[in-house]
């Protein structure tokens, strides 16, 4: 075969040699196509697998760790939560609406594939800055796409995050997370066991959509990416909704052994992964696959990424029942082959053999690369930056308002009001708080959900940034009274063949792993997205953490909103002079530099445990973590949410701007009724958590003094206006 | 009193309505499949929200031809209680059981938010536990809720007290700012001339329990039960 | 085989927020000559018949019953022989 | 004054969920002759110019830049004198 051919499909000369070795002959065109998609980074994780092994993945409550379509965590009563996050960055860069929509569709399929009823979505987004019309176009399309697909499915999008930074201009990050609920006895896995069993395709017909999408996701974006547009697929949420209902009915009737969605690399990946997990083989006749277009070749059928399709292995004799259920829901269900004993994927076209490859060769024998790692040169200069000569602001009220209007801190309502976050009537706390809480009908339990990740921190120190992403996600859950249980993650990085990127990737995983261990939140799965570069420039290294947790009694939850006049404000944790990587430094002083705030995981754990305990004992009326923007923004957000002001005095020798805007970690603001104050202070002492009484809720403005001297006093209404109107105004152009 | 919740392909608030009727109200309720042709034995039919047939041509347009619809139309014409919520309202419009039509929201975006509604008519089977002029808070979630009717139809709706809810501000003022979608006259819900078929864009099933942050929706469902018992 | 091309537009007098948004978008992009924009739907139906008058009747019926909403929309169509 | 009529349709091969839903709907209503449906957009632009070749250039540009999504759609248009 001409090297041109396989190189165009993304295979290297060495990889091609390895294929020849495995097969003991020259592969044909169809086979090369199958190898190229399965050995792409997207499916084969060839650049990341050894590093991902570093993640802690075990805990008694983890029912399914990485390796399946989604992770599963035990939540008691024979129930479990199923969840996973995935990127759709490149498709969204090219076609924002369809790109994000099909991203949602794909991640939802990963959930009901396991037998779970999907119950919620989250979205983690990164865009360029909103002064750029192209960025506004992308954000508009991405949000509309998520809204279109998720709303139509009847899934509430209950939380998420969005950050804006020039590094993401032209290469947005669109990570979607889906969450499902299941009775443990209904769990199904993506395996094709039982020699002689049928293999069926259900759902949409197959067209020429997205051929080589998986390979495309594993390349840098370039001018001619626009030319490769056929890679973009169109989503049909209506059909997916039918597919959900039909699949869950099929599982409830106990008709199947395993199923898997046809995502990236379509029929190729679903079939060989199912066979490989079960140590079986498969014989498939592509002529039997229902088509949408005429004249499709076996190659095209095997590689098509048409959406809303599932591969199913029914129990013996259940084919007809599966077909009947699908028909009731208006879906195709067709037997296209059977499970075989010899571990070989045998693809036929009208009976004629067109490909013959060992299933394991496509999955397990994917080459793995230990990439050379090199600490980037920019780090020393940036980390050692000296901020002592930074001019001190004159008007702190004005600085506060400017920060509140910064799109990274401003209200994200422009986004989430386009999402139906209430459908299913389980959303007890929706977007706008630290974490979303869903009730589990028929129990007293609640599920806590959040996503987090700060690319700027990771750019300045990937290990620390990775650890902070996990710690902050957990902190967000703890502030609502929810105990964190596990994470899924999406690792968005540049080209891993560059030693600097490989280093960032490795460091971030190390940092995340440490935090996961300390916080007892194992990794149950995730997704890697490399090659997030445009014109050779990588986006900020951006690991995104999706976390789930449990609250045993949902009535004991807590929100960030100030509730009552005279509630005492207590700050847990210590404020250090840490403005490196802060929003304040960027917005007011136009610098992205310094070291991110340090993270002491032991302290982090203590602060979070103490917060959850105080909430569980009913001592707390509001809790909110200190994150981007620092303590001043935390106070402002709680005041805005509760439409109630506060009088605050901070005793400290720090410079006022450091004190107010430093993003020191492991800090949580609590509001407690006066009667509970002593109890909370004692609890802090017992746990060794640094604690300070800093004021009380009162009035309709936020007044902050330092050592008794007033530094600002701003109306809550005025803060709210700035905060709420910022993104809508920017989006209006 | 027995309720039936109609399930169209793409309905997605069917389970939510079912939950409120069975768990919150404690009343008997069944799902009715769009492919069925019978609705006898039911006292109130609910057409729930969602995206029937993906809402692909116009919302509600294809669902209106579902096999069950002739039975629903007969049921309505003979005085049976019918409640259409969101997509259900759109289907009732397309089916001609209620006058007018829906357009895309004037902001051209989907909107999910709590809205204030002024109760304009408290003498219907669906609103008898409210008071005329009362302001209640019920969430919306739709992309096509921009109600339209021509002048003559509007006059008729007015004259017959068929306008049941209008979007308003917290004090009950019907203002442009309080209108989330551009509906004429801030109309959020209307009833047919006979007073047995209500269509509304807001979702009462989403605010029927304290834990979800509101209970106005429970009152609406309770009104139906109240009216039914009184009638007997 | 016949091909029906169907145009569904909003009745005059019915506000067209989408058209307005597109119009404003175009003006903002510098196309000052655009004085008004209306957005409608365009459908292509393939019909397995060669009988034009039968097809005409059917297409008109489909438009009235499903494809257009007479409260706010009007329609027109053409029929072409399909090669 | 010129009137531009613009037709935006999905490229062949691109999935058209709308068209499929409408097609299935029509079949369920008994229109068995309908073999395929594709749904697109139809726009009418009024242009405050009488210069046809200038208008042509502008309309084409607007289509490319805003009105059609070149990733999945194609367009065509006609220009008419407006009475
Ligand atoms: N893209 C989004 N989709 C849905 N909700 C979002 C999105 N972005 C932000 N939110 C919501 O807005 C609130 C504030 O977000 P953020 O400032 O990132 O919170 P935090 O700093 O506590 O992590 C959260 O409740 C979050 O769920
Ligand atoms: Mg936070």
């Amino acid at each position: 075969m001409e090297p041109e051919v396989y190189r165009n499909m993304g295979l290297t000369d060495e990889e091609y040699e390895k294929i020849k070795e495995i097969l003991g002959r020259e592969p044909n065109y169809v086979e090369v196509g199958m190898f190229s998609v399965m050995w792409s980074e997207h499916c084969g994780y060839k650049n990341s697998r050894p590093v991902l092994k570093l993640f802690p993945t075990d805990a008694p409550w983890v029912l399914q760790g990485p390796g399946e379509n989604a992770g599963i965590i035990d939540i008691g009563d024979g129930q479990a939560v199923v969840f996973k996050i995935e990127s759709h960055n490149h498709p969204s860069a090219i076609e924002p609406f369809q790109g994000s929509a099909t991203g949602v569709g794909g991640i939802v399929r990963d959930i009901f594939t396991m037998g779970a009823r999907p119950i919620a979505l989250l979205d983690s987004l990164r865009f360029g800055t909103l002064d750029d019309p192209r960025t506004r176009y992308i954000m508009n399309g991405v949000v509309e796409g998520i809204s279109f697909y998720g709303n139509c499915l009847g899934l509430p999008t209950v939380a998420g995050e969005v950050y804006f930074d020039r590094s993401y201009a032209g290469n947005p990050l669109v990570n979607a997370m889906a969450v499902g609920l299941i009775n443990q006895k209904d769990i199904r896995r993506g395996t094709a066991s039982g020699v002689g069993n049928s293999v069926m395709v259900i759902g949409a017909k197959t067209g020429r959509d997205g051929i080589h999408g998986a390979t495309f996701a594993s390349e840098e974006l370039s001018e001619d990416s626009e030319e490769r547009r056929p890679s973009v697929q169109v989503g049909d949420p209506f059909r997916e909704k039918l597919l959900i209902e039909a699949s869950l009915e099929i599982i409830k009737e106990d008709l199947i052994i395993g199923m898997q969605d046809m995502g990236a690399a379509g029929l190729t990946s679903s079939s060989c992964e199912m066979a490989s997990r079960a140590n079986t083989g498969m014989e498939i006749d592509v002529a039997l696959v229902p088509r949408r277009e005429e004249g499709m070749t076996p190659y095209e059928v095997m590689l098509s990424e048409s959406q809303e399709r599932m591969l199913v292995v029914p129990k013996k004799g259940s084919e007809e029942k599966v077909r009947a259920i699908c028909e009731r829901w208006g879906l195709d269900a067709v037997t296209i082959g059977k499970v075989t004993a010899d571990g070989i994927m045998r693809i036929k076209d009208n009976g004629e053999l067109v490909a013959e490859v060992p299933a394991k060769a496509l999955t397990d024998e994917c080459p793995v690369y230990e990439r050379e790692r090199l600490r980037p040169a920019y780090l020393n200069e940036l980390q050692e930056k000296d901020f002592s000569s930074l001019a001190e602001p004159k008007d702190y009220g004005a600085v506060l308002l400017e920060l509140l209007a910064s799109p990274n801190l401003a209200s994200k309502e422009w986004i989430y009001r386009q999402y139906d976050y209430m459908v299913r009537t389980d959303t007890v706390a929706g977007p706008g708080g630290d974490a979303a809480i869903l009730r589990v009908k028929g129990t007293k339990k609640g599920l806590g959900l959040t996503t987090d990740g700060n690319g700027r921190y990771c750019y300045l120190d990937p290990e620390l940034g990775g650890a902070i992403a996990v710690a902050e996600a957990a902190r967000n859950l703890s502030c609502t009274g929810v105990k964190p249980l596990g994470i899924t993650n999406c690792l968005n990085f540049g080209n891993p063949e560059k030693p600097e990127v490989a280093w960032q990737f490795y460091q971030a995983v190390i940092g995340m792993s440490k935090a996961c261990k300390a916080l007892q939140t194992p990794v149950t799965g995730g997704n890697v997205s490399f090659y997030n570069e445009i014109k050779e420039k990588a986006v900020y290294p951006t690991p995104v953490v999706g976390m789930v947790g449990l609250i045993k009694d949902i009535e004991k939850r807590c929100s960030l909103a100030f509730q009552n006049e005279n509630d005492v404000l207590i700050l847990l944790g210590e404020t250090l002079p840490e403005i490196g990587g802060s929003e304040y430094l960027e917005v007011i002083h136009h610098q992205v530099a310094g070291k991110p705030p340090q993270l002491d995981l032991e302290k982090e754990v203590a602060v979070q445990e103490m917060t959850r305990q105080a909430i569980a004992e009913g001592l707390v009326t509001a809790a909110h973590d200190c994150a981007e923007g620092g303590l001043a923004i935390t106070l402002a957000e709680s005041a805005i949410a509760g439409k109630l002001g506060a009088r605050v005095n901070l005793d400290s020798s720090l410079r006022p701007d450091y004190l107010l805007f430093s993003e020191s970690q492991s800090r949580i603001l609590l509001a407690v009724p006066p009667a509970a104050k002593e109890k909370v202070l004692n609890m802090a002492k017992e746990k060794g958590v640094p604690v300070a009484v800093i004021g009380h809720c009162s009035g309709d403005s936020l007044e902050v003094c330092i050592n008794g001297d007033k530094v600002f006093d701003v109306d809550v209404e005025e803060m709210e206006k700035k905060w709420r109107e910022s993104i809508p105004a920017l989006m209006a152009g | 009193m027995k309720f039936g919740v109609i399930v169209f392909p793409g309905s997605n608030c069917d389970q939510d309505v079912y939950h409120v009727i069975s768990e919150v109200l404690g009343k008997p309720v069944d799902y009715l499949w769009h492919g069925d042709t019978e609705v006898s034995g039911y006292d109130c039919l609910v057409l729930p929200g969602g995206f029937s047939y993906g809402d692909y041509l116009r919302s509600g347009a294809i669902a209106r031809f579902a096999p069950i619809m002739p039975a629903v139309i007969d049921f309505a014409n003979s005085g049976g209680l019918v409640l259409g919520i969101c997509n259900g309202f759109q289907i009732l419009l397309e089916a001609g059981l209620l006058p007018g039509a829906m357009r895309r929201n004037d902001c051209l975006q989907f909107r999910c938010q709590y809205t204030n509604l002024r109760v304009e008519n408290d003498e219907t089977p669906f609103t008898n536990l409210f008071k005329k002029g009362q302001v209640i808070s019920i969430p919306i979630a739709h992309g096509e809720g921009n109600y339209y009717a021509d002048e003559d139809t509007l006059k008729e709706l007015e004259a017959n007290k068929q306008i049941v809810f209008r979007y308003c501000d917290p004090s009950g003022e019907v203002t442009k700012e309080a209108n989330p979608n551009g509906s004429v006259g801030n109309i959020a819900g209307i009833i047919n001339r006979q007073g047995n078929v209500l269509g509304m864009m807001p979702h009462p099933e989403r605010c029927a329990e304290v834990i979800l942050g509101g209970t106005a929706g429970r009152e609406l469902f309770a009104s139906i039960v109240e009216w039914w018992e009184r009638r007997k | 085989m016949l091909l029906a091309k169907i145009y569904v537009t909003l009745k005059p007098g019915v506000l067209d927020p989408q058209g307005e948004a597109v119009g404003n978008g175009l003006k903002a992009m510098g196309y000052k000559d655009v004085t008004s924009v209306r957005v409608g739907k365009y459908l292509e139906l393939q019909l397995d018949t060669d009988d034009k008058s039968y097809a005409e009747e059917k297409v008109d019926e489909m438009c009235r019953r499903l494809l257009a909403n007479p409260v706010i929309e009007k329609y027109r169509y053409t029929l072409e022989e399909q090669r």
Side-chain angles (χ1 to χ4, degrees), chain A, chain B, chain C:
Chain A
M1 181 172 293
E2 295 290 317
E4 272 287 278
V5 177
Y6 61 77
R7 282 186 202 151
N8 266 339
M9 293 187 199
L11 289 167
T12 65
D13 294 356
E14 298 74 50
E15 287 166 348
Y16 185 72
E17 285 307 312
K18 187 166 172 188
I19 294 170
K20 277 197 340 206
E21 205 177 292
I22 289 171
L23 297 181
R25 60 177 163 84
E26 288 268 338
N28 66 28
Y29 191 72
V30 178
E31 291 164 340
V32 174
M34 291 169 69
F35 274 103
S36 78
V37 290
M38 290 309 294
W39 286 11
S40 71
E41 175 57 38
H42 196 75
C43 293
Y45 290 89
K46 57 187 171 189
N47 294 297
S48 53
R49 238 197 284 189
V51 182
L52 297 178
K53 289 223 169 74
L54 301 170
F55 279 136
T57 56
D58 284 334
W61 54 88
V62 174
L63 300 177
Q64 176 66 59
E68 263 291 341
N69 290 304
I72 309 184
I73 280 181
D74 190 344
I75 55 166
D77 309 319
Q79 294 177 309
V81 56
V82 181
F83 63 110
K84 172 102 182 283
I85 193 167
E86 200 160 72
S87 67
H88 236 212
N89 303 340
H90 284 181
S92 304
I94 305 259
E95 207 324 81
F97 179 91
Q98 294 295 349
S100 69
T102 51
V104 169
I107 194 62
V108 169
R109 285 195 294 281
D110 277 338
I111 302 304
F112 66 84
T113 290
M114 309 288 296
R117 156 79 56 189
I119 58 167
L121 295 169
L122 296 87
D123 62 332
S124 175
L125 311 175
R126 303 289 183 281
F127 301 112
T129 50
L130 292 178
D131 51 4
D132 170 19
R134 172 81 193 163
T135 293
R136 294 199 295 269
Y137 164 78
I138 292 176
M139 167 146 148
N140 234 322
V142 164
V143 171
E144 206 182 341
I146 295 170
S147 156
F148 163 73
Y149 209 104
N151 297 354
C152 185
L153 286 186
L155 289 180
T157 302
V158 294
E161 53 175 347
V162 59
Y163 288 94
F164 304 91
D165 188 281
R166 274 186 218 295
S167 93
Y168 304 109
N171 193 130
L173 303 184
V174 176
N175 296 177
M177 170 168 160
V179 182
L181 187 66
I182 193 167
N183 286 320
Q184 290 173 25
K185 64 173 175 44
D186 291 333
I187 294 174
R188 288 294 180 286
R189 293 185 165 85
T191 60
S193 41
V195 171
N197 281 338
S198 299
V199 176
M200 299 178 82
V201 188
I202 70 175
K205 293 187 178 20
T206 298
R208 288 193 176 89
D209 314 81
I211 290 173
H212 275 295
T215 328
F216 167 69
S218 309
E219 287 172 5
E220 289 172 35
L221 289 177
S222 62
E223 300 285 328
D224 66 43
S225 301
E226 301 247 334
E227 292 307 307
R228 308 189 53 170
R229 271 164 179 166
S231 300
V232 175
Q233 307 112 42
V234 169
D236 182 355
F238 169 56
R239 191 181 304 271
E240 176 124 328
K241 167 75 173 150
L242 303 177
L243 199 52
I244 294 176
E245 300 305 332
S247 299
L248 294 180
E249 204 172 312
I250 288 167
I251 285 166
K252 205 167 118 211
E253 303 283 322
D254 201 14
L255 299 177
I256 61 159
I257 297 191
M259 69 172 149
Q260 171 147 339
D261 80 292
M262 297 196 212
L267 185 52
T268 299
S269 69
S270 51
S271 58
C272 73
E273 284 175 10
M274 284 184 83
S276 171
R277 285 196 199 101
N279 296 313
T280 56
M282 243 184 231
E283 192 176 297
I284 285 174
D285 195 325
V286 292
L288 299 172
V289 176
R291 326 267 176 99
R292 200 177 75 230
E293 292 179 70
E294 280 166 30
M296 288 181 70
T297 62
Y299 172 87
E300 289 172 324
V301 175
M302 286 310 288
L303 267 66
S304 159
E305 296 191 352
S306 288
Q307 302 287 298
E308 293 96 19
R309 300 177 301 161
M310 308 279 275
L311 195 68
V312 173
V313 175
K315 289 189 168 165
K316 236 171 227 115
S318 296
E319 295 85 349
E320 191 43 39
K321 287 185 188 145
V322 168
R323 211 197 45 74
I325 288 176
C326 289
E327 184 179 278
R328 194 171 112 92
W329 287 101
L331 297 169
D332 282 334
V334 175
T335 300
I336 61 161
K338 58 176 192 291
V339 177
T340 58
D342 59 3
I344 307 285
M345 296 298 306
R346 215 168 266 113
I347 314 300
K348 297 184 171 173
D349 182 14
N350 240 327
E352 184 190 327
L353 192 68
V354 293
E356 193 171 28
V357 183
K360 294 251 185 226
L362 293 164
T363 55
D364 299 5
E365 285 179 53
C366 170
V368 167
Y369 301 112
E370 284 269 8
R371 294 291 179 191
E372 185 196 343
R373 297 193 287 265
L374 184 70
R375 189 174 188 273
Y378 72 82
L379 276 176
N380 282 349
E381 191 196 330
L382 284 183
Q383 288 187 351
E384 279 152 26
K385 198 108 184 193
D386 175 20
F387 300 120
S388 57
S389 62
L390 219 58
E392 232 187 277
K394 297 209 169 57
D395 180 349
Y396 280 99
V399 170
L400 177 72
L401 291 173
E402 194 172 338
L403 282 173
L404 283 170
S406 149
N408 286 339
L409 301 180
S411 167
K412 310 303 188 299
E413 189 184 35
W414 186 92
I415 295 175
Y416 62 70
R417 72 184 177 194
Q418 298 185 55
Y419 300 153
D420 185 347
Y421 52 84
M422 296 187 239
V423 62
R424 297 192 56 77
T425 61
D426 292 327
T427 312
V428 170
D434 277 323
I437 303 182
L438 302 185
R439 68 171 168 183
V440 180
K441 285 194 184 100
T443 75
K444 291 171 75 178
K445 288 180 297 199
L447 293 175
L449 307 171
T450 188
T451 66
D452 248 297
N454 182 320
R456 189 155 62 204
Y457 289 173
C458 292
Y459 172 67
L460 295 171
D461 185 337
E463 182 183 342
L464 193 48
I468 288 175
V470 177
E472 175 165 353
R475 209 182 301 138
N476 282 338
L477 289 182
S478 291
C479 283
T480 63
V482 169
K483 182 174 165 38
L485 291 177
I487 75 163
T488 177
N489 67 85
C490 196
L491 305 173
N492 305 276
F493 287 78
N495 177 352
E497 295 154 41
K498 295 181 181 165
E500 288 84 358
V501 172
W503 183 86
Q504 290 171 327
F505 180 72
Y506 180 81
Q507 293 292 314
V509 169
I510 296 284
M512 293 170 75
S513 299
K514 285 183 184 162
C516 284
K517 280 192 197 113
L519 291 153
Q520 293 190 284
T521 52
V523 175
T524 65
N527 172 244
V528 176
S529 170
F530 281 134
Y531 304 96
N532 290 291
E533 307 204 348
I534 189 147
K535 302 205 181 101
E536 293 282 301
K537 229 177 117 41
V539 302
Y540 282 166
T542 312
V544 169
V545 171
M547 189 176 279
V548 305
L550 184 69
I551 181 166
K552 293 225 169 84
D553 182 356
I554 198 167
E555 293 301 336
K556 300 234 166 88
R557 68 193 181 274
C558 190
S559 93
L560 61 79
F562 288 157
Q563 303 288 329
N564 314 305
E565 283 273 335
N566 297 322
D567 278 355
V568 178
L569 295 176
I570 292 177
L571 181 64
L572 306 182
E574 262 178 300
T575 307
L576 305 169
E578 298 175 309
I579 58 162
S582 68
E583 191 68 19
Y584 165 72
L585 193 60
E586 153 115 69
V587 173
I588 307 296
H589 299 286
H590 315 292
Q591 294 188 42
V592 175
K595 247 188 147 349
Q598 52 165 277
L599 177 65
D600 179 331
L601 285 165
E602 232 170 277
K603 277 192 195 157
E604 182 72 49
V605 170
V607 166
Q608 290 192 31
E609 276 180 3
M610 141 111 207
T611 301
R612 290 199 304 270
Q613 188 184 333
I615 292 172
E617 289 182 17
L619 304 173
V620 180
T621 53
H624 189 22
D625 70 318
C626 293
E628 288 86 5
L631 177 59
I633 296 297
T634 300
L635 287 163
E637 286 173 346
S638 287
I640 291 169
K643 298 194 185 300
L644 174 61
R647 318 284 107 199
V648 173
N649 180 52
L650 307 167
D651 287 321
S652 168
S653 55
L654 292 182
R655 248 175 76 155
D657 51 349
Y658 281 47
L659 183 59
L660 294 171
F661 307 119
S662 151
E663 297 179 7
S664 292
Q665 295 297 297
S666 316
R667 291 182 301 163
I668 291 176
L669 174 73
L670 303 179
V672 308
K677 177 174 138 189
E678 287 310 316
K679 259 196 175 167
V680 172
L681 293 178
N682 285 335
M683 196 184 277
K685 262 182 219 116
E686 271 166 37
K687 303 233 172 223
V689 171
V691 65
V693 174
I694 61 166
H696 61 280
C697 298
S698 164
D700 42 27
S701 70
L702 174 63
E703 179 195 83
V704 173
C705 303
I706 297 180
N707 302 321
D709 296 330
K710 180 149 71 176
V711 286
F712 65 77
D713 186 357
V714 185
D715 280 346
V716 176
E717 253 178 48
E718 194 182 351
M719 294 194 296
E720 171 165 2
K721 200 169 144 58
K722 282 273 184 220
W723 174 78
R724 197 180 291 284
E725 290 176 2
S726 170
I727 291 181
L730 287 164
M731 286 307 289
Chain B
M1 159 168 217
K2 195 165 176 187
F3 288 82
V5 177
I6 302 180
V7 183
F8 297 95
S11 292
N12 64 33
C13 301
D14 43 342
Q15 297 175 13
D16 301 353
V17 171
Y18 187 99
H19 167 79
V20 169
I21 296 169
S22 69
E23 301 301 316
V24 181
L25 257 61
K27 292 290 163 192
V29 53
D30 289 329
Y31 291 116
L32 301 176
W33 187 243
H34 65 97
D36 293 346
T37 49
E38 270 280 345
V39 297
S40 58
Y42 296 93
D43 305 309
C44 177
L45 299 179
V46 185
L47 283 68
F51 290 73
S52 54
Y53 298 91
D55 276 355
Y56 282 143
L57 181 67
R58 288 182 314 278
S59 29
I62 302 179
R64 172 253 177 282
F65 291 100
I68 201 167
M69 284 308 289
V72 172
I73 292 170
D74 283 348
F75 179 84
N77 287 339
S78 56
L81 295 181
V82 178
L83 170 61
I85 301 167
C86 197
N87 196 231
F89 184 13
Q90 294 159 341
I91 296 169
L92 293 177
L93 291 171
E94 287 284 341
L97 284 172
L98 291 170
M102 281 300 169
R103 297 165 300 180
R104 271 185 84 177
N105 292 353
D106 60 354
C107 61
L108 300 178
Q109 288 180 347
F110 193 94
R111 276 289 178 274
C112 177
Q113 66 191 59
Y114 262 88
T115 55
N116 292 302
L117 304 177
R118 191 171 76 191
V119 179
E120 305 285 276
N121 181 347
D122 61 0
E123 291 169 356
T124 79
F126 308 90
T127 55
N128 57 71
L129 293 180
F130 299 124
K131 294 233 150 35
K132 187 166 189 266
Q134 185 182 346
V135 177
I136 58 178
S137 184
I138 301 188
I140 56 163
H142 59 246
E144 285 183 37
N146 183 350
Y147 179 75
Y148 173 84
D150 62 31
E151 299 256 325
D152 292 344
T153 310
L154 278 178
K155 275 195 197 119
E156 241 184 84
L157 288 173
E158 267 324 330
N160 302 321
K161 296 202 255 176
Q162 285 176 254
I163 299 169
V164 178
F165 300 114
R166 289 187 208 265
Y167 302 108
C168 65
D169 71 12
S171 70
E173 236 21 77
V174 173
T175 64
K176 189 162 183 289
E177 294 67 42
N179 187 341
N181 52 29
S183 290
V184 291
N186 284 38
I187 289 173
I190 56 172
I191 199 159
N192 64 341
R193 187 128 190 207
Q194 296 69 33
N196 60 317
V197 178
L198 176 75
M200 61 191 293
M201 287 314 291
H203 286 270
E205 79 280 10
R206 296 186 179 190
C207 55
E209 295 162 90
V210 175
I211 192 169
L212 297 178
T215 54
R218 186 176 61 207
E219 297 299 289
L220 189 136
F221 285 100
S223 287
I224 302 174
V225 176
E226 169 81 16
W227 182 86
W228 184 261
E229 317 247 284
R230 245 192 288 150
R231 196 189 78 142
K232 272 196 303 191
Chain C
M1 291 280 277
L2 291 172
L3 180 70
K5 295 183 171 175
I6 303 173
Y7 309 83
V8 179
T9 48
L10 284 172
K11 284 184 179 166
V14 176
L15 210 73
D16 176 11
Q18 211 183 337
E20 251 177 68
V22 172
N24 292 337
L26 288 172
K27 269 175 225 151
M29 288 164 76
Y31 300 104
K32 307 286 178 206
D33 305 324
V34 177
T35 54
S36 119
V37 180
R38 306 279 287 176
V39 178
K41 270 177 267 197
Y42 170 64
L43 296 97
E44 289 183 353
L45 262 62
Q46 290 207 3
L47 300 170
D48 192 12
T49 174
D50 291 317
D51 181 341
K52 262 206 166 173
S53 77
Y54 166 80
E56 189 132 343
E57 185 189 317
K58 287 292 163 186
V59 169
D60 198 77
E61 197 181 289
M62 289 185 238
C63 287
R64 262 182 292 123
R65 290 182 68 198
L66 178 70
L67 304 178
N69 179 337
V71 178
I72 46 175
E73 293 170 331
K74 57 193 175 61
Y75 62 87
R76 63 193 165 79
Y77 54 87
T78 62
L79 277 173
E80 288 172 22
E81 232 117 307
Q82 182 80 327
R83 352 54 328 182

